[in-house]
Amino acid sequence: MMAPVSTHAEDDGEPAPLTLYLVKRLELVIRALLDDALRPRGLTTLQYTALTVLRNRGALSSAQLARRSFLRPQTMHEMVMTLEKRGLISRQSQETNKRVLLATLTDAGRRLLDDCAPAVQELEDVLLDGLGERAVFRADLQHGIAALAELADARRTD
């Protein structure tokens, strides 16, 4: 299958693949490599993502965690149950709303993330090796994420 092409040409005059296509290919390669790196530690990439969101954001409801992990709420509910059974997260009811359970990372969850850090950092280093200005690359990615998230939000409210 051929890559969708951009209306812009590469330096050699050939049509360039769409940036969206390249980003998707990058995501698929990252996902496969992360799955391979995390499997020996008993985690999937999606579980790792959810745990890192909790580490960075603190206590979150399952719905909030789903949004920040790019998953459907039903999928996140199952994952939260699995992570809780493994002792990687705990859930407590919210003071203002007893029906909402907030998930937090446990000490075991923090230790597991620490154990995963070298393998994940190795992938990050390989990805960024040879890039001129890492901060610019990261800022450009953040800009793209924000712009498309704004578009997605606007389409949901229309």
Side-chain angles (χ1 to χ4, degrees), residues 68-116:
R68 287 178 172 85
S69 300
F70 312 104
L71 293 175
R72 291 189 341 260
Q74 299 85 348
T75 304
M76 183 53 70
H77 177 72
E78 293 171 21
M79 185 185 307
V80 163
M81 300 294 285
T82 299
L83 295 172
E84 187 176 34
K85 284 179 189 169
R86 289 188 57 196
L88 301 174
I89 65 169
S90 63
R91 294 188 299 162
Q92 272 92 48
S93 59
Q94 195 176 28
E95 300 244 344
T96 57
N97 184 348
K98 299 292 183 194
R99 294 184 339 179
V100 175
L101 297 176
L102 296 179
T104 57
L105 203 56
T106 63
D107 289 340
R110 278 187 276 287
R111 284 192 301 273
L112 182 57
L113 285 178
D114 290 344
D115 184 47
C116 294

Side-chain angles (χ1 to χ4, degrees), residues 19-142:
T19 304
L20 295 173
Y21 174 78
L22 295 174
V23 169
K24 182 61 178 179
R25 285 195 56 205
L26 177 61
E27 183 223 351
L28 292 172
V29 170
I30 290 170
R31 173 81 181 265
L33 290 169
L34 274 175
D35 279 341
D36 289 347
L38 298 170
R39 190 174 298 111
R41 293 158 179 90
L43 282 180
T44 66
T45 299
L46 296 177
Q47 290 170 333
Y48 174 80
T49 299
L51 292 175
T52 59
V53 167
L54 287 174
R55 180 180 60 196
N56 295 330
R57 297 283 184 156
L60 295 172
S61 71
S62 188
Q64 291 169 320
L65 187 56
R67 280 191 298 278
R68 287 178 172 85
S69 300
F70 312 104
L71 293 175
R72 291 189 341 260
Q74 299 85 348
T75 304
M76 183 53 70
H77 177 72
E78 293 171 21
M79 185 185 307
V80 163
M81 300 294 285
T82 299
L83 295 172
E84 187 176 34
K85 284 179 189 169
R86 289 188 57 196
L88 301 174
I89 65 169
S90 63
R91 294 188 299 162
Q92 272 92 48
S93 59
Q94 195 176 28
E95 300 244 344
T96 57
N97 184 348
K98 299 292 183 194
R99 294 184 339 179
V100 175
L101 297 176
L102 296 179
T104 57
L105 203 56
T106 63
D107 289 340
R110 278 187 276 287
R111 284 192 301 273
L112 182 57
L113 285 178
D114 290 344
D115 184 47
C116 294
V120 173
Q121 188 61 54
E122 178 184 3
L123 294 177
E124 173 101 352
D125 291 343
V126 169
L127 171 67
L128 297 176
D129 186 43
L131 282 181
E133 189 60 47
R134 291 180 180 203
V136 172
F137 177 69
R138 292 173 56 83
D140 288 345
L141 289 174
Q142 291 286 8

